[in-house]
Amino acid sequence: MSDSTHTNSPHNNDVLLGRGGTINAHPGNEQYRKFVERKKRVYLTARFKREKRLIAQSIVEEIRNLDPPGRFLTKDPHNASDGWRDVGDEKARDKT
């Protein structure tokens, strides 16, 4: 298990995937929503899917380039009690 893909304790720059008040209130998710809000108008006026994908990718890169780097985490089904795993860039972009 690599530290970059698995963790037991998400940090404040991580975006947690899932539902519920605790996930919505996580500092990384609040920060992520601000990043999305900043690019929302450009995204909505983009005419082509490729443009929209690039805008979503730029948000993922913003999160990943934070210090410490943000990750897009989901509960690890193999360690559901306290484990999280990074979903990777493609799923992160799809969420965005």
Side-chain angles (χ1 to χ4, degrees):
M1 255 198 251
S2 158
D3 284 346
S4 63
T5 59
H6 291 82
T7 185
N8 288 335
S9 54
H11 58 67
N12 286 346
N13 288 338
D14 289 335
V15 177
L16 307 182
L17 281 63
R19 300 174 67 91
T22 54
I23 286 178
N24 277 336
H26 181 73
N29 289 52
E30 291 178 350
Q31 177 175 242
Y32 166 78
R33 285 193 298 273
K34 288 178 187 171
F35 287 5
V36 168
E37 188 62 36
R38 275 202 330 255
K39 301 220 175 174
K40 190 176 184 177
R41 181 171 293 151
V42 175
Y43 182 88
L44 292 174
T45 59
R47 292 179 24 203
F48 302 106
K49 255 187 176 171
R50 182 175 183 281
E51 289 176 273
K52 292 184 181 221
R53 190 171 55 249
L54 290 172
I55 294 163
Q57 184 63 39
S58 74
I59 295 169
V60 171
E61 288 170 4
E62 268 189 278
I63 297 290
R64 300 249 189 235
N65 288 327
L66 294 170
D67 184 21
R71 300 166 292 184
F72 289 79
L73 301 175
T74 189
K75 277 290 194 184
D76 186 343
H78 303 293
N79 188 6
S81 62
D82 61 358
W84 295 85
R85 68 175 177 81
D86 194 311
V87 298
D89 284 352
E90 187 176 341
K91 284 192 176 162
R93 189 180 62 230
D94 291 345
K95 175 193 171 44
T96 303

